[in-house]
Amino acid sequence: SQCDNANPNVPDAGTSFFGGPESTGPVNGLQASFARIPFAAANLIPLPDAVTDEQAIVHLAVKMGNCPHRAIIPQLVDLVASGAADPAQLLTQVEPIDDVVSAYRTFDTREPGWVKVALAPVA
């Protein structure tokens, strides 16, 4: 996150995310079907049935930054559930999680059409 309280590397770090570069914040990787989330009680918001997994992947930017703030996320979820916003429209790729290295490489080279990527579990 770009929150000064949650990310000790802000404001120069950019957006911190699980598995991101060390310079963006101290958050280890998260490419798994199930995970333990630090401070989950403060960060996770239950999703209504009207919000799909693709829509939840993950975030609406507010004022050119993102912040997983408990006071804001429920309002954003309500916007998605009501149909007023659909972040799934930004999802450009769905790649299998067992090919995550290739997906990261392609995303990192800024290939055309790779804007927002979901990693799907392999059945």
Side-chain angles (χ1 to χ4, degrees):
S1 119
Q2 291 176 319
C3 175
D4 289 339
N5 296 325
N7 185 348
N9 295 349
V10 170
D12 299 324
T15 300
S16 176
F17 55 93
F18 285 105
E22 186 177 338
S23 62
T24 66
V27 188
N28 291 330
L30 181 69
Q31 289 77 42
S33 297
F34 298 95
R36 297 178 98 182
I37 306 298
F39 307 107
N43 293 323
L44 299 180
I45 307 295
L47 297 176
D49 291 338
V51 176
T52 66
D53 289 344
E54 290 79 14
Q55 291 172 318
I57 288 172
V58 37
H59 72 271
L60 293 178
V62 178
K63 295 186 181 179
M64 300 306 291
N66 54 38
C67 178
H69 196 283
R70 185 115 179 126
I72 302 298
I73 297 297
Q75 295 170 36
L76 298 177
V77 169
D78 288 345
L79 286 173
V80 174
S82 72
D86 186 6
Q89 292 178 352
L90 300 175
L91 189 61
T92 58
Q93 303 291 328
V94 177
E95 297 294 313
I97 199 164
D98 63 350
D99 197 23
V100 66
V101 173
S102 176
Y104 271 117
R105 284 186 181 131
T106 304
F107 185 80
D108 200 35
T109 60
R110 292 175 172 73
E111 293 287 328
W114 283 66
V115 177
K116 185 171 182 163
V117 181
L119 297 172
V122 177

